[in-house]
Amino acid sequence: MARTAVFFHAHPDDEALLTAGTMAMLASEGHRVVLVVATAGERGLADLPHGDELAEARTTELYASAAALGVARVVLLGYGDSGLGEGGAIGDDRPPNAFIDADIEEAAQRLAAVLKEESADLLTIYDPAGGYGHPDHVQVYRVGQRAAGIAGTPILLEATVNRDPLLRGLRLAQRFYRFPPEFDVRSFERAYSPGEVITHRVNVRRFAKVKRASMAAHASQATGGDGDRTLAVMLRIPGPLYRLIFGTEWYVRRDLPPGARLGHPFDELPETGEAEVAEEAS
């Protein structure tokens, strides 16, 4: 039976990095995939100037990524990109309509309207820390959690990364590639979610080429500042290593017990309520 999954992200390119494989997988299975993005990312680091020009470019890139993934509908909520200041702080020069300053109830009602219109079976947000801590990502968690409650969406998944294999993969890649200056592998020791709380480990290796195409669509985010950025480095990783690093997508479902090991967003625990618990593959 076909279902509808809504993926809620903060900026264009977030979908490519965290959930692209899952989106492509669900679309290939005949499910309806809807992508909702809070901002146009007009204050992201890029060679284009901040503002309307960058917003237009990133919106075009977002639609190209969505087409590659088989997304049926893209919704832009129209909030301003809050930006990212020193040390992960909220940018002091953020626009008056910055997403981080949005009233949570009002924003949640707007997202809930999409969920109701789509009769959504599933909504993805971020974990409470917003992954690596961007203020707009934290706001996605707050708004999305409330919206799911308003709309009665039955499945709420927090898109995250299992920091344990992530760190192993990044340290391996570091042997072959020099990451750009803004990329500190050590920062991931505090980011995302520990493996012990993750309930869904979705194998998306079959969709690695599609996920790479989704990343490649966001060309404005591959350069900026003094040279190539993290996205550009990721796109140069050879296929086998790329599949190793990006071949699993991770989610937390809080109404399931920690230690549940499910492999598909729509999977449920057996009626006995017993979770299948397994050790992480080394």
Side-chain angles (χ1 to χ4, degrees):
M1 179 181 69
R3 300 184 184 183
T4 298
V6 176
F7 290 77
F8 184 32
H9 286 283
H11 316 97
D13 87 346
D14 289 333
E15 86 290 345
L17 297 170
L18 277 179
T19 64
T22 305
M23 296 166 74
M25 180 187 73
L26 291 178
S28 75
E29 294 171 351
H31 301 292
R32 180 171 172 83
V33 176
V34 176
L35 174 58
V36 180
V37 183
T39 82
E42 68 275 11
R43 299 186 70 242
L45 182 61
D47 288 334
L48 294 174
H50 285 173
D52 292 344
E53 185 178 354
L54 182 56
E56 182 178 352
R58 296 196 70 181
T59 299
T60 299
E61 293 169 351
L62 177 69
Y63 277 93
S65 168
L69 299 175
V71 170
R73 179 187 180 192
V74 177
V75 179
L76 283 159
L77 294 185
Y79 291 102
D81 183 356
S82 304
L84 195 62
E86 291 291 332
I90 302 171
D92 292 333
D93 58 344
R94 63 190 183 275
N97 68 333
F99 184 48
I100 191 62
D101 296 324
D103 179 80
I104 292 176
E105 187 67 19
E106 184 272 340
Q109 290 286 354
R110 293 179 64 185
L111 176 58
V114 177
L115 297 174
K116 292 176 181 178
E117 182 181 351
E118 293 287 347
S119 299
D121 301 285
L122 179 151
L123 172 67
T124 75
I125 56 175
Y126 304 135
D127 58 27
Y132 66 92
H134 193 296
D136 282 339
H137 289 219
V138 177
Q139 189 77 325
V140 162
Y141 168 79
R142 297 171 181 151
V143 170
Q145 187 180 54
R146 175 62 182 140
I150 294 171
T153 304
I155 301 174
L156 180 63
L157 297 182
E158 298 170 11
T160 186
V161 175
N162 185 334
R163 70 168 65 118
D164 305 323
L166 171 66
L167 283 169
R168 288 198 297 270
L170 289 174
R171 286 166 180 159
L172 177 61
Q174 201 172 30
R175 297 181 182 181
F176 303 96
Y177 297 96
R178 178 177 295 178
F179 288 113
E182 83 269 11
F183 189 89
D184 183 0
V185 172
R186 293 173 299 177
S187 68
F188 287 88
E189 295 173 359
R190 303 178 301 276
Y192 300 105
S193 301
E196 63 189 16
V197 305
I198 289 173
T199 55
H200 291 68
R201 301 151 179 84
V202 182
N203 185 338
V204 297
R205 291 180 183 175
R206 289 190 299 121
F207 301 95
K209 290 184 178 179
V210 180
K211 183 167 183 171
R212 191 190 286 265
S214 173
M215 287 186 180
H218 295 282
S220 70
Q221 298 304 288
T223 60
D226 296 329
D228 286 353
R229 298 184 59 212
T230 301
L231 183 61
V233 175
M234 290 176 175
L235 288 170
R236 288 200 296 268
I237 296 174
L241 185 56
Y242 184 94
R243 287 191 294 273
L244 175 64
I245 296 174
F246 299 107
T248 301
E249 292 178 348
W250 317 87
Y251 301 90
V252 178
R253 181 172 168 180
R254 299 288 174 179
D255 61 345
L256 298 181
R261 189 180 180 95
L262 301 176
H264 191 282
F266 291 126
D267 279 352
E268 299 283 353
L269 292 179
E271 292 185 2
T272 59
E274 296 179 358
E276 178 187 355
V277 180
E279 295 294 330
E280 288 295 333
S282 59

